[in-house]
Amino acid sequence: MPKYRYIRYLPLILFITCCWSPVFADIQIDQPAPNIEGTLLDGKPFSLEANKGKVVLVNFWASWCEPCREEMPIIESYLKKNQSKGFEVLAITMDKPSDLEQAKQIMQNYSFLFSEKKHMDYSGYGRIWRIPSTFIIDKQGVLRKNGMTGDPKVDTKLLEQLVTPLLSN
């Protein structure tokens, strides 16, 4: 009987193995970004692969998230100045269905590509547990900012330091 005493820990071991497995979210800066694809709120298809040649900022956000709403005007301003240079923004709301109308109202103020989480496949990024989470992908499809690590904030300084050089390459 003593040799089976650890069997009670099996569910915990399986949980840790699954949740921390590199299969779930082992995305690395300077490596190809996993594809994101699905349908935007306006019904148009979106694919990160199809946007190669552009620098794409992917922002996972929610209407209830104050830091998310604070950074949106900064991202919008940068987008307006740089969209003609090949900059694009995809905002994916992580809101519950009951909060979707509020998310739609917020997005009326922005020109971002916009989708609900249920209409996008972003499984290569793992479980999005941090809101906001912003990923930046360069023109060649390489990840330049991993939204699950480092400072979650997006501000003008970050955009100027990270994105502006990518637009000129």
Side-chain angles (χ1 to χ4, degrees), residues 1-129:
M1 193 71 157
K3 67 179 179 178
Y4 297 109
R5 68 178 182 219
Y6 297 110
I7 195 106
R8 66 181 172 191
Y9 297 111
L10 186 59
L12 178 62
I13 293 167
L14 289 172
F15 174 78
I16 291 170
T17 302
C18 289
C19 291
W20 295 103
S21 171
V23 171
F24 282 84
D26 189 24
I27 57 174
Q28 302 291 323
I29 292 177
D30 296 330
Q31 296 297 314
N35 193 27
I36 296 174
E37 61 185 353
T39 305
L40 301 173
L41 196 63
D42 63 8
K44 294 179 183 170
F46 176 87
S47 167
L48 194 55
E49 288 284 327
N51 277 276
K52 279 192 178 173
K54 294 182 180 180
V55 176
V56 181
L57 183 149
V58 179
N59 182 254
F60 291 92
W61 72 287
S63 62
W64 48 262
C65 168
E66 187 65 34
C68 299
R69 292 192 318 269
E70 288 174 3
E71 70 185 11
M72 287 177 135
I74 295 165
I75 296 170
E76 175 71 12
S77 176
Y78 191 84
L79 176 63
K80 284 184 176 181
K81 287 190 274 184
N82 293 286
Q83 193 165 23
S84 65
K85 297 175 186 171
F87 182 60
E88 193 62 78
V89 176
L90 170 64
I92 300 174
T93 181
M94 304 303 283
D95 279 299
K96 298 180 292 187
S98 60
D99 295 328
L100 187 57
E101 283 308 312
Q102 183 177 353
K104 288 178 182 179
Q105 287 177 345
I106 291 169
M107 287 306 296
Q108 288 178 357
N109 300 312
Y110 303 104
S111 57
F112 309 156
L113 301 175
F114 174 51
S115 186
E116 296 176 67
K117 67 180 177 180
K118 71 178 184 178
H119 295 298
M120 298 301 282
D121 177 6
Y122 52 87
S123 57
Y125 291 79
R127 183 176 156 267
I128 303 298
W129 54 270

Side-chain angles (χ1 to χ4, degrees), residues 55 136-139 144 161-169:
V55 176
I136 297 175
I137 298 96
D138 71 15
K139 292 179 179 183
R144 298 301 177 183
Q161 288 179 344
L162 182 61
V163 177
T164 299
L166 296 174
L167 292 171
S168 61
N169 290 345

